[in-house]
Amino acid sequence: MPSSSRSAKDFFAPLAVGAPAPVREVPARPSRAIHFFDPSNEKMAAKIPQMVGTVDVLLGNLEDAVKADNKLAAREGLVRIGRDTDGLGGPGGTTQLWTRINSLDSPWALDDLTTLVPAIGHRLDVIMVPKVQGAEDIHYVDRLLAQLEARAGLERPILVHAILETARGVANVEEICGASPRMQGLSLGPADLAADRRMKTTRVGGGHPGYLVRQDPPTSADGAADVGADRTTYQQDLWHYTIARMVDACAMHGIYPYYGPFGDIADVVACEDQFRNAFLLGCVGTWSLHPKQIAIANKVFSPSVEDIRHARRVVAAMGDGTGAVMLDGKMEDDASLKQCLVLVDLAEELAAIDPELKKQYDAIEEG
Ligand SMILES: CC(=O)SCCNC(=O)CCNC(=O)[C@H](O)C(C)(C)COP(=O)(O)OP(=O)(O)OC[C@H]1O[C@@H](n2cnc3c(N)ncnc32)[C@H](O)[C@@H]1OP(=O)(O)O
Ligand SMILES: CC(=O)C(=O)O
Ligand SMILES: [Mg+2]
């Protein structure tokens, strides 16, 4: 039952006369990297046509990281890119087109929506809404989009993605995910969330060396603890709790969780680690802020050849999918089969859009 003020009977009814019917199921389109660009930055914008086909999602960012003086230029730049770029966005697009609008309390959000939907609504796959606090923010966007879609004569609804970047948003995460059939997914917004929570970090995503646990002290023969001895410390993940909550809320509502930004562009190693943690916990993708993060995201959010080889062996060994078998000394049963099927299904979806990956998965030998 969706956590919405609408009754179950009305949940899938269009919110404006003439608006397209809401989707019953959010399409599982590969979105390993959501690549951010500033449409008001001419150098970046010029690179977009050649990036089509090299990344799953291109996102024209209108919010933070776009200078206040450039807000209008960014919106207009995105309209031009959406209109003129072959293969970008819409049902036939090889790369999805998303945007991040300005926050709903800003002077720009209303014009972002009323400009973009009539101009390039047929190309826009997903609108990312920042700083979502609760279901009321999604309800506002939901109704407005329905009105704009009806007026523009759009044939399919634009989906909505919320950034979780306030404490209230995290507290309301389940109701946000279930607020509308338009909800496509959630991203973590670690920078704004840290500020809102009064965390004492100054970074965009990633860990912190001060957030750690330390090995117990060695004890002497008389049982006294030597707290001054050298002891190994283990850095902990600041974002584990929030990502885990997001994953559960998204899974409960049939939508998709994503990591978010990793601001240390030079540290490609820690970036890969952070993305992998999110992948293992259940996220389907992440953000890319710089072209070099696209390859990292594509690698991490595609199951490895080794994982697919093992998953296929389990599927084959399990026959009709019930009971228990031994494989390489380990017990496999109905539940491990289900995990393997998650990987096998994902590999099929990715192979359908990524010929290089298809080649690698096709080359896996049976047995
Ligand atoms: C907390 C949040 O909200 S995160 C989301 C908001 N932030 C963003 O969207 C940031 C997007 N990324 C950027 O603005 C930039 O990548 C920066 C500021 C991080 C780094 O920019 P630069 O210092 O110019 O990077 P660098 O010099 O390595 O760029 C190399 C080339 O890639 C281009 N480039 C850099 N980032 C991008 C991008 N995101 N998309 C397309 N091209 C890009 C540059 O224009 C440059 O082109 P050139 O070779 O023709 O000169
Ligand atoms: C992603 C984002 O907007 C943030 O971290 O604040
Ligand atoms: Mg933010």
Side-chain angles (χ1 to χ4, degrees):
M1 172 76 183
S3 50
S4 157
S5 50
R6 280 193 268 165
S7 69
K9 162 173 89 55
D10 292 337
F11 190 66
F12 291 102
L15 289 178
V17 174
V23 291
R24 292 260 161 185
E25 201 173 320
V26 180
R29 297 186 69 181
S31 42
R32 295 164 292 184
I34 303 167
H35 181 73
F36 271 58
F37 67 93
D38 173 354
S40 72
N41 178 321
E42 285 178 13
K43 255 168 69 177
M44 269 192 210
K47 293 193 161 53
I48 297 310
Q50 70 227 37
M51 294 181 83
V52 172
T54 68
V55 58
D56 296 343
V57 178
L58 282 163
L59 180 145
N61 177 33
L62 307 182
E63 201 224 8
D64 293 355
V66 175
K67 281 171 81 70
D69 287 349
N70 292 350
K71 293 290 184 184
L72 191 55
R75 194 189 294 142
E76 287 171 350
L78 180 57
V79 167
R80 267 194 308 279
I81 288 167
R83 269 191 190 141
D84 302 343
T85 310
D86 289 341
L88 183 58
T94 46
T95 287
Q96 296 182 58
L97 176 63
W98 294 23
T99 185
R100 175 170 80 168
I101 59 167
N102 285 287
S103 64
L104 298 178
D105 59 355
S106 75
W108 305 291
L110 182 61
D111 290 341
D112 290 343
L113 290 172
T114 58
T115 304
L116 294 176
V117 176
I120 55 166
H122 58 297
R123 288 286 191 98
L124 269 180
D125 296 292
V126 176
I127 292 179
M128 196 179 260
V129 183
K131 302 178 177 68
V132 171
Q133 300 271 22
E136 72 279 8
D137 289 340
I138 303 301
H139 293 161
Y140 167 78
V141 172
D142 199 9
R143 179 79 72 174
L144 181 54
L145 282 178
Q147 292 171 334
L148 293 168
E149 287 166 348
R151 186 192 274 170
L154 296 188
E155 289 173 357
R156 79 196 157 96
I158 301 168
L159 301 182
V160 167
H161 180 111
I163 311 179
L164 213 56
E165 51 185 345
T166 65
R168 184 145 82 84
V170 176
N172 292 331
V173 63
E174 284 90 4
E175 68 164 46
I176 291 170
C177 292
S180 160
R182 282 184 202 277
M183 281 302 297
Q184 180 274 345
L186 284 184
S187 285
L188 172 70
D192 271 301
L193 182 55
D196 195 58
R197 282 176 171 163
R198 298 176 197 229
M199 290 167 66
K200 307 302 180 293
T201 53
T202 55
R203 304 169 172 205
V204 175
H208 191 290
Y211 193 69
L212 52 81
V213 291
R214 190 179 300 270
Q215 198 180 29
D216 281 359
T219 47
S220 55
D222 63 1
D226 179 6
V227 297
D230 279 348
R231 286 183 273 160
T232 308
T233 60
Y234 306 89
Q235 196 172 317
Q236 305 293 293
D237 186 354
L238 287 165
W239 305 110
H240 177 81
Y241 156 78
T242 314
I243 297 270
R245 281 206 65 181
M246 286 170 52
V247 168
D248 284 344
C250 286
M252 168 179 165
H253 288 284
I255 70 173
Y256 300 104
Y258 296 77
Y259 178 67
F262 188 86
D264 191 343
I265 308 291
D267 192 350
V268 291
V269 178
C271 177
E272 182 169 332
D273 292 338
Q274 192 79 40
F275 288 177
R276 183 164 292 105
N277 287 349
F279 173 69
L280 288 169
L281 270 187
C283 289
V284 299
T286 186
W287 297 12
S288 146
L289 303 182
H290 186 280
K292 69 177 168 192
Q293 292 185 335
I294 294 173
I296 304 172
N298 283 352
K299 173 181 163 196
V300 170
F301 287 92
S302 307
S304 68
V305 163
E306 293 69 37
D307 281 345
I308 296 306
R309 180 182 291 116
H310 174 73
R312 287 185 188 164
R313 283 184 70 216
V314 173
V315 173
M318 279 292 291
D320 75 351
T322 64
V325 296
M326 285 294 280
L327 204 60
D328 305 333
K330 298 191 181 80
M331 189 277 298
E332 307 288 351
D333 72 358
D334 311 48
S336 56
L337 173 81
K338 284 180 197 156
Q339 294 172 66
C340 291
L341 288 174
V342 169
L343 288 167
V344 169
D345 291 348
L346 176 59
E348 276 173 22
E349 283 158 16
L350 293 173
I353 60 135
D354 186 329
E356 181 46 41
L357 212 49
K358 179 171 165 37
K359 238 187 273 169
Q360 291 176 28
Y361 293 150
D362 284 352
I364 298 172
E365 283 166 24
E366 304 290 321

